[in-house]
């Protein structure tokens, strides 16, 4: 390990945050929502290194830096950088850390951000490492839940769609372990919640129920309906895909008997799993959810730089 | 020496050093490699396919005038769970214990996930041992779990 004393606090995975730290970050995010434009980062340079393109995440982070008054360097696609010339991740990180006070990185390899945080003299924020972790997404999901429900404790949370490969739903389980949720997993057979996560729920005394169909009856008690995409590429059995592809679509008429406080979340991008006419339903929350990402990321950036 | 079974005679033949016993016969040379015995310039006796009441067939390695740290021998638990380590001083067994899985394994093991950073960067691997009984490791980087049966050594 090269870096023994990093100048700030890296954020690699939500697992390393305590309940108190999560609540504190959410509180700061709500302060940023009240006043998003603050020149806290005047004179700071933040690098956004996107070894894998993700326009949505990059724009959100870069907007957060801009609203805080910081400067941005970086790249949005590794094919334009030296890593395609065979430069190691380590060399890129060491080079960039000479220039920047903070590195926000997304990488297609799992564990890339953890490794970067071990060698970098400046803090690292993980903006997604392959199928592994994407802590700022989870934090904005938590923020959206807390904001719409007024609390995080004792909620009925329904996770729908691809629960096998969906990184966001797995992180949600891990983050909610402090808040006594009741989970409902609604997924096609091939994309069921993996056992390792069900074991995690049991270990942390989180109740869960499994359903193989998305229906009006199944979601009647939901406080949060967290929708994800069911992608064709994930199926080994294409017959199964054809059979289920239209059954995991949320339609407006399914929402008539749901609870008044129900809110629908989705990590975006959406394809067809939420019908367009739900967008004007007051229970739809996915666009505001994405906007919340800005305030949460402002809090995460300031926290990484020890400026909260 | 009062007791004199066959294996203790083998042990007793050493004045000072280490006896690694109860090695599965097919793992003897893996032990040689893992401990880097070819770099130890002391008398070394390697036995394989010896008869054993407990195991049917076993291997044994004796290294004169050399002792290992726990972290050196604990990695042997990755290839066989019941290897016994004897420390010999003055022809007597000064210490005898079955090696155990360490809490953490650095290097040695390759991560089974092809998309793990450790398989793409010049860096060493690191695993937490999450289940010592069934032998389950979790990669410190990609978080994937691998069981001891599917372990590949670096
Ligand atoms: Zn790994």
């Amino acid at each position: 390990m090269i870096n023994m004393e990093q100048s700030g606090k890296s954020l690699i995975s939500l697992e390393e945050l305590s309940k108190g730290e999560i609540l504190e970050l959410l509180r700061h995010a709500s302060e940023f929502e009240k006043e998003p434009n603050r020149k806290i980062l005047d004179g700071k340079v933040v690098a956004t290194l996107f070894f894998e393109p993700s326009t949505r995440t990059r724009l959100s982070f870069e907007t957060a830096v801009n609203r805080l008054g910081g400067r941005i360097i970086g790249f949005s696609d590794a094919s334009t950088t030296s890593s395609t010339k065979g430069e190691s991740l380590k060399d890129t990180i060491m080079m960039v850390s000479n220039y920047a006070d903070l590195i926000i990185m997304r990488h297609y390899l799992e564990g890339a951000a953890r490794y970067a945080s071990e060698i970098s003299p400046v803090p690292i924020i993980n903006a997604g490492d392959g199928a592994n972790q994407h802590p700022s997404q989870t934090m904005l999901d938590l923020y959206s839940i807390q904001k719409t429900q007024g609390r995080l404790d004792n909620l009925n949370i329904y996770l729908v769609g691809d629960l096998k490969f969906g990184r966001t739903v797995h992180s949600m389980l891990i983050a909610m372990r402090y808040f006594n949720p009741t989970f409902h997993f609604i997924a096609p057979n091939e994309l069921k919640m993996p056992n390792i996560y069900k074991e995690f729920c049991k270990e942390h005394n989180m109740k869960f129920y499994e359903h193989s169909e998305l229906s009006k009856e199944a979601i009647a008690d939901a406080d949060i309906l967290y929708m994800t995409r069911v992608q064709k590429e994930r199926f080994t059995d294409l017959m199964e895909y054809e059979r289920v592809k239209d059954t995991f679509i949320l339609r407006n008429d399914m929402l008539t008997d749901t609870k008044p406080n129900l809110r629908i979340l989705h990590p975006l991008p959406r394809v067809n799993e939420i019908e367009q006419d739900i967008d004007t339903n007051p229970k739809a929350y996915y666009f505001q959810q994405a906007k919340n990402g800005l305030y949460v990321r402002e809090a995460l950036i300031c926290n990484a730089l020890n400026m909260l | 020496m009062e007791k004199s079974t066959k294996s203790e005679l083998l042990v007793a033949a050493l004045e000072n050093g280490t006896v690694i016993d109860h090695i599965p016969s097919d793992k003897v040379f893996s032990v040689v490699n893992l401990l880097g015995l070819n770099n130890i310039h002391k008398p070394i006796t390697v036995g394989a396919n010896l008869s054993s009441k407990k195991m049917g067939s076993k291997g044994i390695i004796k290294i004169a005038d050399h002792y290992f740290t726990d972290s050196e021998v604990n990695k042997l638990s990755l290839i066989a769970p019941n290897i016994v380590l004897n420390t010999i001083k003055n022809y007597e067994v000064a210490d005898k214990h079955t090696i155990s899985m360490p809490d953490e394994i650095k290097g040695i093991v390759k991560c089974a996930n092809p998309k793990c950073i450790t398989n793409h960067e010049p860096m060493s691997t690191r695993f937490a041992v999450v289940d010592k009984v069934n032998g389950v490791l979790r990669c410190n980087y990609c978080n994937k779990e691998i069981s001891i049966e599917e372990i590949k050594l670096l």
Side-chain angles (χ1 to χ4, degrees):
Chain A
M1 252 183 252
I2 294 165
N3 148 51
M4 296 312 286
E5 272 177 59
Q6 204 169 68
S7 60
K9 288 195 287 270
S10 290
L11 178 63
I12 306 305
S13 153
L14 219 63
E15 275 175 76
E16 59 216 37
L17 294 183
S18 68
K19 181 179 181 176
E21 285 170 319
I22 289 175
L23 292 173
E24 188 64 8
L25 285 167
L26 295 176
R27 193 180 64 74
H28 283 290
S30 70
E31 296 296 319
F32 281 112
E33 178 166 6
K34 286 177 207 146
E35 180 51 66
N37 298 312
R38 296 190 224 168
K39 299 290 168 221
I40 304 174
L41 297 192
D42 195 24
K44 297 281 182 192
V45 175
V46 175
T48 51
L49 309 185
F50 278 61
F51 296 88
E52 170 189 66
S54 172
T55 308
R56 190 179 307 276
T57 303
R58 185 173 55 84
L59 289 182
S60 179
F61 269 114
E62 293 189 351
T63 305
V65 174
N66 278 312
R67 290 196 179 275
L68 293 166
R71 301 271 182 158
I72 294 163
I73 60 169
F75 50 83
S76 56
D77 183 351
S79 64
T80 61
T81 73
S82 50
S83 68
T84 49
K85 296 176 195 150
E87 185 179 53
S88 68
L89 173 63
K90 178 175 159 185
D91 289 7
T92 305
I93 294 293
M94 295 314 285
M95 183 264 296
V96 172
S97 64
N98 287 331
Y99 309 137
D101 301 291
L102 167 69
I103 294 173
I104 297 165
M105 64 177 276
R106 187 180 187 100
H107 205 287
Y108 46 90
L109 292 174
E110 294 156 25
R114 166 89 54 215
Y115 175 57
S117 75
E118 289 176 353
I119 55 173
S120 169
V122 302
I124 304 281
I125 292 180
N126 184 7
D129 59 329
N132 192 28
Q133 304 282 330
H134 190 7
S136 66
Q137 175 69 47
T138 311
M139 284 301 289
L140 78 88
D141 292 342
L142 292 183
Y143 185 77
S144 300
I145 293 172
Q146 189 186 47
K147 192 175 157 191
T148 59
Q149 305 300 318
R151 65 183 204 276
L152 285 170
D153 298 288
N154 308 316
L155 293 168
N156 294 331
I157 299 180
Y158 287 57
L159 306 174
V160 185
D162 180 357
L163 306 187
K164 184 175 179 186
F165 298 101
R167 171 177 66 183
T168 53
V169 295
H170 300 156
S171 300
M172 171 80 76
L173 290 189
I174 292 165
M176 288 302 293
R177 71 192 184 282
Y178 298 127
F179 304 107
N180 190 38
T182 299
F183 281 114
H184 289 256
F185 304 147
I186 307 181
N189 257 332
E190 271 215 42
L191 301 179
K192 276 169 63 175
M193 185 63 79
N195 278 331
I196 176 170
Y197 293 105
K198 290 193 248 175
E199 287 301 320
F200 181 87
C201 287
K202 287 179 198 162
E203 274 166 40
H204 292 85
N205 293 316
M206 294 190 283
K207 293 187 282 297
F208 65 86
Y209 303 90
E210 293 188 276
H211 313 261
S212 54
E213 261 173 63
L214 176 62
S215 67
K216 210 172 167 171
E217 295 69 36
I219 60 174
D221 283 328
D223 298 311
I224 291 291
L225 197 54
Y226 196 99
M227 301 292 299
T228 62
R229 285 166 68 190
V230 172
Q231 292 165 275
K232 192 176 182 177
E233 313 83 86
R234 299 299 197 193
F235 283 83
T236 51
D237 179 357
L238 286 181
M239 298 275 281
E240 161 93 348
Y241 171 73
E242 291 300 326
R243 202 175 59 73
V244 304
K245 69 174 182 188
D246 296 327
T247 63
F248 286 84
I249 294 176
L250 189 65
R251 296 185 317 270
N252 225 346
D253 61 8
M254 291 176 176
L255 300 174
T256 45
D257 297 328
T258 52
K259 292 166 78 170
N261 62 306
L262 169 73
R263 290 297 177 271
I264 302 156
L265 305 185
H266 189 299
L268 303 181
R270 156 181 65 171
V271 183
N272 66 342
E273 56 278 8
I274 301 175
E275 287 203 329
Q276 299 281 335
D277 60 354
I278 291 182
D279 294 358
T280 51
N281 189 315
K283 292 174 179 172
Y285 194 74
Y286 27 93
F287 296 121
Q288 293 97 314
Q289 177 190 3
K291 189 178 174 190
N292 290 337
L294 171 63
Y295 316 127
V296 165
R297 289 180 174 117
E298 288 189 275
L300 297 181
I301 289 165
C302 290
N303 185 58
L305 289 166
N306 284 330
M307 297 182 93
L308 279 182
Chain B
M1 301 203 78
E2 310 224 334
K3 289 178 285 175
S4 70
T5 65
K6 266 185 195 166
S7 68
E8 274 184 276
L9 279 176
L10 278 166
V11 170
L14 201 61
E15 183 178 353
N16 290 296
T18 305
V19 176
I20 303 164
D21 200 357
H22 293 104
I23 309 169
S25 281
D26 60 338
K27 305 281 190 192
V28 170
F29 292 97
S30 305
V31 172
V32 171
N33 285 332
L34 266 181
L35 292 180
L37 297 186
N38 46 347
N39 297 319
I40 295 174
H41 302 290
K42 295 280 167 58
I44 297 175
T45 316
V46 177
N49 303 319
L50 306 173
S51 67
S52 156
K53 273 189 202 131
K54 254 198 250 167
M55 308 172 64
S57 157
K58 70 168 185 179
I60 189 166
I61 299 174
K62 296 187 284 175
I63 305 109
D65 303 319
H66 190 89
Y67 303 98
F68 297 93
T69 63
D70 275 353
S71 73
E72 284 176 298
V73 288
N74 281 350
K75 56 190 172 186
L76 299 180
S77 60
L78 293 169
I79 52 168
N82 297 312
I83 291 176
V84 174
L85 189 80
N86 298 279
T87 302
I88 311 296
K89 286 183 178 158
N90 268 328
Y91 296 105
E92 294 201 23
V93 179
D95 181 60
K96 175 176 183 158
H97 66 272
T98 306
I99 54 161
S100 61
M101 278 262 195
D103 295 326
E104 192 185 52
I105 293 160
K106 286 185 183 171
I108 314 164
V109 177
K110 182 177 156 62
C111 181
N113 175 8
K115 293 187 77 180
C116 178
I117 186 72
T118 59
N119 289 315
H120 298 264
E121 283 275 311
M123 61 186 286
S124 69
T125 61
R126 216 163 110 200
F127 295 87
V129 178
V130 290
D131 185 340
K132 289 191 184 188
V133 180
N134 299 305
V136 181
L137 311 183
R138 185 173 59 219
C139 175
N140 178 59
Y141 295 94
C142 72
N143 288 312
K144 290 280 179 326
E145 293 192 351
I146 44 175
S147 75
I148 199 152
E149 292 90 45
E150 52 183 351
I151 276 176
K152 283 204 183 73
L153 301 181
L154 282 169

